[in-house]
Amino acid sequence: MSTSVRRTELPLTVRTPTHEPRNRRRRSSPGRAPATKLFLILPSVVILILTNAYPIAYAAFQALHNGSLISPGEFVGVDNFAKVLADPAFWRAAGFTAVFAVAGVFGSWIIGIAIALLLRTRIPAKGLLKTILLLPWVVPIVVSAMSWNWLIGTSSSPVPTIIHALGFGDAIFLSDPLGAQITVCLFEIWVNFPFMMLMMSAALSSVDESIYEAAKIDGASARQQFRYMTLPIIAKPTYISWVLMAIFCVNDFPTVYLLTHGGPVGATNTLVVLAYKTVFQNFQTGPGVAIAFLMTLALAIVAVLLFRQIRKSTSQ
């Protein structure tokens, strides 16, 4: 009896499982993880430096020298930038670049969002229509430029011949400075509207249809729904598409050069075409690279302004 009492009075010690030692083994040392991350990203950093930083640094070196394609030349400081800014041809090219970019961005956006809204409705052969509309963006730019040259390049081309037969006189597209500028802008819109159509279709697919049904019940018209509901909802992807298209248009060399070579009399020279001609036709490396730097600076300012609009649309 006394033995059983003693056994019940003994304190029970229950071992609770603990994972602390195991967790300690799983934890890595605090200084090892950053070192591992740096080791893993080091190849990418080296490749970025070799492919981007070095060409930019060498271009800056060329912009400060009066060299050519085969010799670096002498150090001239910012004389190349002053020479470029005093050249009327630079300001004509800058003006047309601005017109070309604005026409390319907003022209392709208006057509792209209109087609994207149309594709949301019930229309027959929607898949085939989407495929056909993507062709201007899919076809190589060389083929597109050759086709446009065949259609409107001379007075005996099909489009001027038809216009003359209809009694509208002689139509000159690429030989007249204003006609060439309008043609180049239309060609840029025609090439890029499928990209805007895809961007706007993706943005509109995220809009909930129930809000339109609620707006119809409240008596909102189609124009009011588009102005006060659709546009604010897709504001962020719209600004992103504008930034991308502005970069495409300002840096677009083949569209202009293949269609007009910057002519006639330099009317369709954009900054990138002028920089190319200055470096590879006039063999003035310093002024040509200075044009490219000034173009990049202007493009960076536009991108910053549009990114601020993106931030505002996100915070609202």
Side-chain angles (χ1 to χ4, degrees):
M1 181 68 183
S2 61
T3 304
S4 62
V5 172
R6 286 174 186 171
R7 284 180 179 175
T8 55
E9 290 177 353
L10 287 175
L12 296 176
T13 58
V14 180
R15 287 187 176 182
T16 57
T18 176
H19 301 287
E20 187 175 355
R22 186 177 300 173
N23 293 336
R24 284 181 180 175
R25 285 195 299 271
R26 288 179 180 176
R27 293 173 185 170
S28 58
S29 61
R32 186 176 299 175
T36 304
K37 293 177 182 177
L38 289 175
F39 178 76
L40 292 175
I41 66 173
L42 184 60
S44 300
V45 173
V46 173
I47 291 174
L48 285 175
I49 291 174
L50 292 177
T51 57
N52 292 295
Y54 173 73
I56 292 174
Y58 187 67
F61 173 83
Q62 289 179 313
L64 301 176
H65 290 71
N66 62 348
S68 62
L69 292 174
I70 57 176
S71 65
E74 298 178 354
F75 179 76
V76 294
V78 295
D79 287 353
N80 287 327
F81 291 92
K83 181 180 178 181
V84 166
L85 292 175
D87 188 0
F90 169 79
W91 293 108
R92 284 198 301 271
F96 180 66
T97 302
V99 173
F100 181 71
V102 170
V105 172
F106 293 104
S108 60
W109 177 74
I110 291 172
I111 296 176
I113 194 170
I115 296 176
L117 290 170
L118 177 65
L119 292 176
R120 283 170 61 88
T121 61
R122 294 181 179 178
I123 55 175
K126 189 183 296 184
L128 178 62
L129 183 60
K130 282 183 180 179
T131 305
I132 294 174
L133 290 172
L134 285 175
L135 286 179
W137 196 45
V138 175
V139 173
I141 191 67
V142 176
V143 179
S144 299
M146 292 297 293
S147 301
W148 275 60
N149 264 315
W150 176 75
L151 286 172
I152 60 173
T154 63
S155 58
S156 59
S157 298
V159 175
T161 302
I162 293 173
I163 293 175
H164 182 76
L166 293 175
F168 293 102
D170 295 331
I172 302 174
F173 290 98
L174 300 182
S175 301
D176 177 68
L178 180 60
Q181 290 177 340
I182 295 173
T183 303
V184 168
C185 291
L186 292 176
F187 184 59
E188 181 72 5
I189 295 171
W190 184 77
V191 170
N192 290 319
F193 85 83
F195 171 77
M196 285 294 192
M197 180 189 71
L198 291 178
M199 292 287 291
M200 293 301 100
S201 295
L204 291 172
S205 64
S206 62
V207 180
D208 190 0
E209 291 287 344
S210 61
I211 62 173
Y212 293 109
E213 297 175 0
K216 289 179 182 177
I217 295 173
D218 293 338
S221 63
R223 186 185 65 82
Q224 290 173 331
Q225 293 176 25
F226 179 75
R227 170 66 180 84
Y228 298 105
M229 296 174 60
T230 305
L231 287 182
I233 292 174
I234 64 171
K236 184 177 179 180
T238 297
Y239 288 134
I240 293 174
S241 66
W242 286 358
V243 172
L244 294 175
M245 188 54 66
I247 295 172
F248 293 160
C249 292
V250 173
N251 291 321
D252 192 356
F253 174 78
T255 297
V256 177
Y257 196 77
L258 291 174
L259 201 60
T260 63
H261 294 269
V265 293
T268 57
N269 267 340
T270 58
L271 287 176
V272 66
V273 173
L274 182 63
Y276 169 80
K277 288 181 175 179
T278 305
V279 174
F280 293 100
Q281 293 182 1
N282 300 331
F283 304 109
Q284 297 177 348
T285 307
V289 177
I291 292 172
F293 269 104
L294 293 172
M295 182 183 71
T296 305
L297 177 63
L299 193 59
I301 294 172
V302 173
V304 168
L305 295 176
L306 289 176
F307 274 118
R308 285 187 177 179
Q309 292 297 325
I310 294 173
R311 192 176 302 170
K312 287 182 181 177
S313 64
T314 305
S315 60
Q316 287 175 354

